[in-house]
Amino acid sequence: MTIERLKKKYDGKSVVKDISFEIPKGKIISLIGPNGAGKSTVMGMISRLIAKDGGNIKFEDKDLAKWKSKELAKRLAILTQHNNVQMKLTVRELVAFGRFPYSGSHLTAEDLEMIDKAIEYMELKEYENRFIDELSGGQRQRAYIAMVIAQDTEYVLLDEPTNNLDIYHSTNMMKMVRRLCDELGKTVVLVLHELNYAAFHSDYICAFKDGKIAKFGTVEEVITKEVLSEIYNVEFEIMKIAGKPLTIYY
Amino acid sequence: MEINAAALKEKRRMLWILGALVLLSIVFYMTIDVNLSNSKFLAFSMKLRTPKMVAMVVAAFAIGAASIVFQSVINNTIVTPCLLGMNSLYTLIHTVIYFFFGAASIFVVNAKASFLLDLVMMVVTATIIYGVLFKKTNYNILYILLIGTVLSSLFGSMQEAMIRVMDPNDYDNLLLTLVAGFDNINGEIIVLCIVLLLLVAFFLRKDIALLDVITLGKHQAINLGVDYDKCIRRMLIGVTIYIAIATAMVGPVSFLGLILSNLSRQLLKSYRHTYLILGASMIGMLSLVAGQILVEHVFTYAIPVSIFITLGGGIYFLFLLLSAKKG
């Protein structure tokens, strides 16, 4: 996926200014940056949830806007932060919606197999007949990820997947993301606030500041004292743990 | 294939039971106190009761379906088209037509022409007003509810203002058509209404399946490949037509949609809109026909059925609001 000179304005105020970068296939890319830097807006535009005001997004050599929504749904999945369902829906029924782009509401035997796999993958077997609104935040988040897995797309975009999760669940979530990439060969793009999760689990990091890309590169290139202090205006210390640069700030 | 065959079977069974109950109540309504031995009496009672019965069935279906669809479109279960002023808009449009064309015009004299003109104007204005309202507020339910309530009284006062300066003869005519109720059914348009209802249902049959996905929220729906804005627009047009039909035939029944949709959701606990719509319509038919039997044979027309509905619906609405707070 290639992004060229992407722009977005809200009420005349530029929030995304001329952003260009490329998303490498089969890797985990984390978007980081302070609040209001434009990372979630960029995520929204590359997933067609938000209309862009300028620039090009090419997905598989074709303009994103020219893709049929249904075809795109088989290639690219997005999970945003706020998901509340008013319906009485069980985990299994929710996960089954992941097959909607393929079979509509008439599921095939293959769909059922994918649904079962996704539920097992997210270790949700024991909850599969529970209603979504009766689950804890962590379980619900996992159910949504299972739906995305059932959707079986090459690209998975997650907007702050660790938001509102405790340390245990967010760590598991990040490990899960790593497995999605390593075992299932998916390209995962994340918006993250926790720098250490980004540093430890991703391959590339794209750091935003004021609607522009401050730095895009491998984890080692971006997670440095100089780059981070510049972006966040806070003093940083970098430590190496398990071969990965981790940040300390206070 | 189905993901949860057992639960689905149970829901289907519930719908069948409901259907049987509806049939029973209709048969009961048609035959109670009828002198079967005399064919003239029989024909007379059928002539009196058939239009009423058909109107109740049609209204229940229109209101039940419209409410379920509308709630799913804005993702909230305590809002109905009625609450946001769709009925008052219809009344207003109807009045405007009388006001400008006068009682002698074809759009007043001919019930069908009058209804069709109402319908066209209703669809145009309602899709614009509610489409813009939803988009501008970004489906924020608090704003929608607030603006909707304001709109409702705004339409009401506009209509009242018009009535005050109207020609008394026009007014007399208008009032006759405005006070439609289950005891005073606009019989001339029944066939037209049924045809329209079926046509709309046929054209929107695919969107109903999309509605299951739309209740997951806008972002999820787009993620799963639904052309969101287009689908919402089509649904809104459908809802408007259904509400217009129901209001034209039996007049405004404020809380009926709310009761039907929520009872159906509570009973079926399903996300499938075909089931929810069927459930809501059949609960509607059952309660309307049963209510009418009570009105005609127990209260001997002393209390119209709409009073029961408004009373019960008001209490039920309060109950829903208060119990939603806890959850």
Side-chain angles (χ1 to χ4, degrees):
Chain A
M1 185 185 257
T2 326
I3 291 117
E4 277 169 10
R5 306 183 63 88
L6 198 60
K7 290 186 199 87
K8 180 74 192 174
K9 276 183 188 166
Y10 283 126
D11 297 325
K13 194 174 165 283
S14 277
V15 278
V16 174
K17 306 164 187 164
D18 259 343
I19 278 179
S20 305
F21 66 106
E22 202 168 309
I23 295 171
K25 232 178 168 173
K27 303 284 182 201
I28 296 180
I29 301 95
S30 294
L31 314 183
I32 61 164
N35 292 336
K39 45 194 193 311
S40 280
T41 310
V42 169
M43 186 74 133
M45 287 190 281
I46 62 179
S47 58
R48 76 182 174 313
L49 294 184
I50 301 177
K52 61 182 190 303
D53 288 337
N56 282 312
I57 302 170
K58 268 210 175 119
F59 181 65
E60 313 260 287
D61 295 324
K62 194 172 157 188
D63 199 332
L64 190 76
K66 294 210 172 91
W67 278 85
K68 272 204 173 145
S69 195
K70 205 152 200 173
E71 283 308 307
L72 206 56
K74 297 177 190 169
R75 307 284 192 98
L76 182 150
I78 165 94
L79 188 60
T80 50
Q81 296 172 51
H82 305 290
N83 293 298
N84 54 355
V85 187
Q86 290 267 342
M87 289 273 155
K88 274 287 180 193
L89 207 61
T90 65
V91 171
R92 199 175 158 74
E93 285 163 346
L94 178 77
V95 177
F97 273 117
R99 303 306 295 169
F100 188 82
Y102 300 88
S103 315
S105 12
H106 303 284
L107 300 172
T108 65
E110 193 197 339
D111 292 329
L112 289 185
E113 203 178 299
M114 291 296 295
I115 294 162
D116 281 329
K117 252 197 221 159
I119 288 175
E120 242 154 69
Y121 205 82
M122 288 314 292
E123 292 159 17
L124 285 165
K125 194 76 194 161
E126 54 184 310
Y127 307 114
E128 68 172 359
N129 290 321
R130 291 263 294 273
F131 285 114
I132 294 288
D133 55 1
E134 292 163 4
L135 298 178
S136 73
Q139 292 163 340
R140 196 175 311 159
Q141 187 77 322
R142 266 154 61 205
Y144 274 101
I145 301 272
M147 182 185 114
V148 167
I149 294 175
Q151 207 179 331
D152 194 26
T153 53
E154 293 158 60
Y155 286 75
V156 176
L157 315 180
L158 305 171
D159 192 357
E160 297 193 34
T162 57
N163 207 9
N164 293 327
L165 295 187
D166 58 24
I167 296 176
Y168 172 79
H169 285 108
S170 2
T171 311
N172 276 349
M173 176 61 62
M174 291 310 296
K175 284 181 187 160
M176 183 59 238
V177 168
R178 195 66 249 180
R179 279 172 65 200
L180 280 182
C181 178
D182 294 343
E183 293 171 13
L184 304 178
K186 295 185 189 308
T187 309
V188 187
V189 184
L190 305 153
V191 171
L192 280 180
H193 268 299
E194 295 92 335
L195 287 179
N196 288 337
Y197 282 139
F200 202 84
H201 297 281
S202 26
D203 298 308
Y204 292 90
I205 292 184
C206 187
F208 288 81
K209 192 186 184 185
D210 297 331
K212 288 184 191 143
I213 293 181
K215 180 93 182 168
F216 178 78
T218 60
V219 172
E220 279 75 16
E221 285 165 0
V222 179
I223 304 294
T224 64
K225 231 173 153 168
E226 295 72 32
V227 174
L228 292 180
S229 314
E230 167 70 27
I231 296 170
Y232 286 97
N233 295 325
V234 173
E235 289 302 313
F236 275 88
E237 293 292 337
I238 309 291
M239 286 178 73
K240 278 255 178 190
I241 291 177
K244 307 268 184 181
L246 294 185
T247 63
I248 296 171
Y249 46 90
Y250 40 84
Chain B
M1 279 202 209
E2 295 299 348
I3 39 166
N4 203 342
L8 217 58
K9 210 172 158 189
E10 197 197 310
K11 276 155 204 175
R12 281 212 190 105
R13 213 187 56 215
M14 274 188 216
L15 286 175
W16 278 114
I17 294 174
L18 259 180
L21 283 175
V22 169
L23 263 182
L24 240 137
S25 67
I26 289 177
V27 169
F28 188 60
Y29 175 73
M30 296 299 280
T31 52
I32 185 171
D33 279 351
V34 166
N35 189 341
L36 288 167
S37 54
N38 187 325
S39 66
K40 267 188 187 156
F41 275 134
L42 183 67
F44 182 63
S45 357
M46 288 303 124
K47 199 181 153 203
L48 272 182
R49 291 180 191 193
T50 312
K52 257 191 220 175
M53 189 271 292
V54 175
M56 283 191 277
V57 169
V58 168
F61 173 62
I63 293 174
S67 303
I68 290 274
V69 170
F70 193 76
Q71 291 184 341
S72 294
V73 163
I74 53 177
N75 216 353
N76 186 293
T77 52
I78 50 170
V79 175
T80 59
C82 198
L83 224 59
L84 299 189
M86 244 186 220
N87 292 356
S88 346
L89 179 63
Y90 183 83
T91 320
L92 173 65
I93 288 173
H94 196 67
T95 311
V96 167
I97 291 171
Y98 270 70
F99 188 79
F100 285 108
F101 289 99
S105 111
I106 169 128
F107 296 119
V108 172
V109 178
N110 185 327
K112 287 192 187 91
S114 155
F115 172 65
L116 281 178
L117 184 65
D118 281 352
L119 198 65
V120 171
M121 284 186 55
M122 173 82 179
V123 168
V124 174
T125 46
T127 18
I128 292 173
I129 292 174
Y130 292 99
V132 169
L133 174 62
F134 289 174
K135 257 208 142 135
K136 281 271 179 218
T137 57
N138 219 348
Y139 296 89
N140 182 329
I141 195 63
L142 274 178
Y143 285 126
I144 291 180
L145 207 60
L146 203 63
I147 299 173
T149 332
V150 173
L151 280 180
S152 178
S153 33
L154 175 71
F155 296 148
S157 357
M158 280 163 78
Q159 193 239 356
E160 218 158 276
M162 254 174 207
I163 285 180
R164 274 167 205 274
V165 290
M166 209 175 215
D167 182 293
N169 290 323
D170 291 354
Y171 175 64
D172 212 33
N173 253 309
L174 173 70
L175 206 63
L176 270 179
T177 55
L178 274 185
V179 292
F182 289 101
D183 300 319
N184 173 28
I185 279 149
N186 194 346
E188 287 174 74
I189 54 169
I190 282 188
V191 178
L192 186 65
C193 286
I194 294 176
V195 172
L196 265 172
L197 282 177
L198 293 178
L199 268 181
V200 172
F202 177 77
F203 278 114
L204 292 181
R205 69 196 186 285
K206 277 193 182 139
D207 294 84
I208 296 291
L210 293 183
L211 210 51
D212 298 352
V213 183
I214 279 176
T215 41
L216 292 180
K218 180 176 181 180
H219 288 171
Q220 279 306 338
I222 297 178
N223 170 43
L224 293 171
V226 172
D227 194 341
Y228 190 78
D229 287 336
K230 215 191 232 168
C231 186
I232 294 281
R233 211 176 313 128
R234 289 161 60 102
M235 282 291 160
L236 259 183
I237 295 177
V239 167
T240 324
I241 297 177
Y242 272 42
I243 289 296
I245 289 175
T247 318
M249 247 168 62
V250 297
V253 201
S254 349
F255 284 111
L256 188 59
L258 181 89
I259 308 178
L260 300 187
S261 51
N262 278 291
L263 281 181
S264 173
R265 284 174 201 274
Q266 264 182 5
L267 183 71
L268 294 168
K269 285 200 174 60
S270 173
Y271 64 93
R272 281 165 198 271
H273 283 82
T274 33
Y275 288 20
L276 290 176
I277 289 172
L278 275 176
S281 342
M282 290 200 287
I283 294 172
M285 294 169 197
L286 190 62
S287 47
L288 283 184
V289 174
Q292 195 65 23
I293 294 174
L294 276 184
V295 167
E296 290 181 14
H297 299 277
V298 179
F299 298 104
T300 49
Y301 294 96
I303 310 169
V305 72
S306 48
I307 300 262
F308 285 122
I309 295 166
T310 315
L311 190 67
I315 295 168
Y316 187 54
F317 183 59
L318 281 176
F319 165 76
L320 282 177
L321 277 178
L322 291 173
S323 62
K325 258 273 157 61
K326 275 182 245 152

